[in-house]
Amino acid sequence: MLDEFLSFDYDKLYISSRRERLFFLWGHTFEFDGADNWSLLDEIGKRVSASDDVWCATNTEIYDYVTAYGALIYSADNTRVYNPTLQTLWFWCDGETYKIAPGETLENVKN
């Protein structure tokens, strides 16, 4: 599953099919002890941390980000975006990645 996640070519999807992607790794330490596979967890950590476009986050960080992302306010014609949150957010629109700071309004967003 990790191979598929890391090698996924997002640009090959139609724009309407593009969604945020999440690779969620969950487990308890006793499970790694019982299966004697700590080396697997180490390998996953090395591979994920070597990727420039993967954000390693806790459950709370993901929740906070998704909540903030949902709070973005778009103009009626979708060319202006306002970020009312305290979190810097990124979004993709028509082949371009935008970064929007807390309290910032972006004008002339490509639609």
Side-chain angles (χ1 to χ4, degrees), residues 2 5-6 21-25 41-63 65 87 90:
L2 183 60
F5 180 79
L6 293 176
R21 299 181 69 234
L22 175 68
F23 184 87
F24 189 78
L25 179 64
L41 185 60
D42 288 339
E43 179 63 27
I44 290 170
K46 287 177 190 173
R47 292 185 57 210
V48 169
S49 65
S51 181
D52 292 338
D53 60 350
V54 173
W55 173 42
C56 296
T58 65
N59 290 343
T60 300
E61 288 170 327
I62 293 168
Y63 174 83
Y65 189 88
Q87 185 152 0
W90 287 261

Side-chain angles (χ1 to χ4, degrees), residues 20 63-74 82-85 89:
E20 296 77 14
Y63 174 83
D64 290 345
Y65 189 88
V66 169
T67 301
Y69 188 88
L72 288 173
I73 299 171
Y74 296 86
Y82 170 64
N83 180 1
T85 74
L89 301 167

Side-chain angles (χ1 to χ4, degrees), residues 3-11 13 21:
D3 290 336
E4 181 182 341
F5 180 79
L6 293 176
S7 66
F8 188 80
D9 189 354
Y10 211 71
D11 293 328
L13 291 177
R21 299 181 69 234

Side-chain angles (χ1 to χ4, degrees), residues 73-82 105-109:
I73 299 171
Y74 296 86
S75 62
D77 64 359
N78 284 327
T79 61
R80 183 179 309 146
V81 182
Y82 170 64
T105 298
L106 295 181
E107 305 278 350
N108 301 316
V109 173

